[in-house]
């Protein structure tokens, strides 16, 4: 992925979410969202986001959904 654009603990306080914009030069630009377990650094969830840069993200209180806001 590209440069990290955001990093925050999710509402449950147990997991960390990050958003990166960019991507490998061989691919079209895209964003990437990842959820991490900060106790061991394990990547527990990841998905490719929209092609436009992500400017913000939020999770529901129960952490059953994660939304992103992008320039497109």
């Amino acid at each position: 992925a590209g440069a990290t654009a955001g990093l925050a603990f999710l509402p449950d306080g147990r997991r960390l979410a990050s958003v990166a914009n960019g991507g490998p030069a061989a691919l079209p630009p895209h964003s990437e969202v990842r959820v991490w377990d900060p106790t061991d650094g394990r990547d527990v969830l990841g998905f490719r986001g929209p092609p436009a840069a992500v400017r913000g993200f939020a999770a529901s209180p129960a952490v059953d959904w994660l939304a992103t806001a992008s320039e497109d």
Side-chain angles (χ1 to χ4, degrees):
T4 300
L7 182 69
F9 275 96
L10 295 177
D12 65 6
R14 298 180 306 137
R15 292 170 281 180
L16 194 61
S18 66
V19 176
N21 292 314
L27 296 174
H30 67 279
S31 59
E32 194 170 78
V33 178
R34 298 243 176 248
V35 176
W36 308 89
D37 180 339
T39 61
D40 61 9
R42 187 172 45 98
D43 181 355
V44 295
L45 174 70
F47 60 92
R48 191 171 174 164
V54 171
R55 296 297 180 204
F57 63 95
S60 68
V63 194
D64 53 356
W65 59 259
L66 183 67
T68 61
S70 65
E71 294 179 345
D72 60 351

